[in-house]
Amino acid sequence: MTIPEPDSTWRFETMHLGRRVCVYRQLDSTNSLALSLAENPAHDGLVLLAQSQTSGRGQYGRVWQAPPRSSVLLSVLLFPPPDLRRPALMTAWAAVSVCETIFESVEIPASIKWPNDVLVDGKKICGILIEQRTTGDAAFPLATVAGIGLNVAQTAAMFAEAGLPLAGSLASVGGKALRSDDVARTLIRRLDKNYCLLQNNGVGAVESAWQDRLGLLGKDVIAEEVNQAHVGRLVELAFSGLAVETTEGRRVRLMPESVRQLRSIT
Ligand code: BTN
């Protein structure tokens, strides 16, 4: 499939991602379009940005809604090397980049809520949806789409009216009027910088920023898998695995991808 004609195009002098950004007034979903372009590895690093979506998608089949121009709605299409293909790592990379973007935009620290939300003052201001598909290309067998919805301009009253009292935006938590295009530019640069770090320096820097923003290491937590939950002290938190020391003195090891929820119980 060829890239549909965008309403405008941005180009960044970045290393990997955002050298071409296709901006659309309206799409059904930036993730859906990115997935349909994923059979062509020449699109590696392509960013799709929409001012509004008619069928924005969230985790677990939920809808993602945002008034036109209120938010950054973007997807990045990547063909990562084997060691970077894990959804948990890609989610962490996107979440850390969003936290840095928030700090650069409104100078407020943000935290990561397991697995894929970014919060400020307890309000969800960003959701991340990582989707992958096989390509049929032997050299680039798996494409990854990182979809990011970052609320920028919605007011607290708008969230209350929409029945979303736990949602926030850069404007509602930061008290600063920002243009979503400017925030999108900052985010694209941060995503590129951190992707280059992952590729060239290994996962260490992104992993430790992710650990810090989760703020759960050493705390009493509940870690929920599909069929069971583990309660205890979180003694390890890494892409290679988590370890929970249970109250009965057992050490339970879990892969990040198998943990659906992880939260503090203190
Ligand atoms: C969630 O928290 O459930 C994840 C929400 C992800 C929403 C973004 S908006 C841009 C991209 N396109 C989509 O259809 N979804 C993601």
Side-chain angles (χ1 to χ4, degrees), residues 25-26 50-54 64-73 150-155 157-159 161-162 164 169 180:
R25 258 195 303 275
Q26 189 173 80
Q51 289 164 355
S52 68
Q53 299 183 123
T54 52
W64 185 264
Q65 284 177 317
R69 289 177 174 275
S70 66
S71 303
V72 176
L73 305 169
L150 171 57
N151 299 332
V152 175
Q154 296 95 324
T155 60
M158 287 163 84
F159 290 121
E161 209 170 293
L164 298 168
S169 69
S180 54

Side-chain angles (χ1 to χ4, degrees), residues 29-31 53 56-59 64 74 117 124 127-128 148-149:
S29 152
T30 56
N31 263 41
Q53 299 183 123
R57 294 188 283 112
Q59 285 277 317
W64 185 264
L74 71 71
D117 294 346
K124 173 169 173 173
I128 294 162
I148 300 175

Side-chain angles (χ1 to χ4, degrees), residues 110-246:
S111 59
I112 300 173
K113 177 170 173 279
W114 190 278
N116 68 329
D117 294 346
V118 176
L119 308 186
V120 173
D121 291 339
K123 305 272 187 192
K124 173 169 173 173
I125 80 168
C126 173
I128 294 162
L129 180 64
I130 303 292
E131 297 182 294
Q132 295 185 311
R133 62 160 269 201
T134 51
T135 63
D137 182 311
F140 300 94
L142 194 71
T144 296
V145 171
I148 300 175
L150 171 57
N151 299 332
V152 175
Q154 296 95 324
T155 60
M158 287 163 84
F159 290 121
E161 209 170 293
L164 298 168
L166 295 178
S169 69
L170 291 179
S172 75
V173 301
K176 202 166 158 186
L178 293 161
R179 293 178 57 235
S180 54
D181 279 1
D182 294 336
V183 179
R185 288 186 172 89
T186 305
L187 177 58
I188 291 164
R189 290 200 180 91
R190 291 285 172 173
L191 287 164
D192 181 64
K193 184 206 79 173
N194 287 322
Y195 193 72
C196 291
L197 265 179
L198 284 172
Q199 276 196 317
N200 303 329
N201 299 22
V203 300
V206 170
E207 185 174 50
S208 72
W210 171 74
Q211 287 165 342
D212 289 350
R213 305 275 186 181
L214 280 164
L216 293 172
L217 194 57
K219 298 226 168 105
D220 289 331
V221 298
I222 178 161
E224 292 176 12
E225 296 186 287
V226 178
N227 291 321
Q228 54 183 337
H230 311 277
V231 176
R233 176 82 36 96
L234 186 68
V235 292
E236 279 175 45
L237 176 61
F239 295 144
S240 57
L242 284 65
V244 176
E245 222 158 63
T246 67

Side-chain angles (χ1 to χ4, degrees), residues 24 64 76 83 102 112 118 257 261:
Y24 299 90
W64 185 264
V76 186
D83 52 331
I102 292 170
I112 300 173
V118 176
E257 280 83 0
Q261 283 301 329

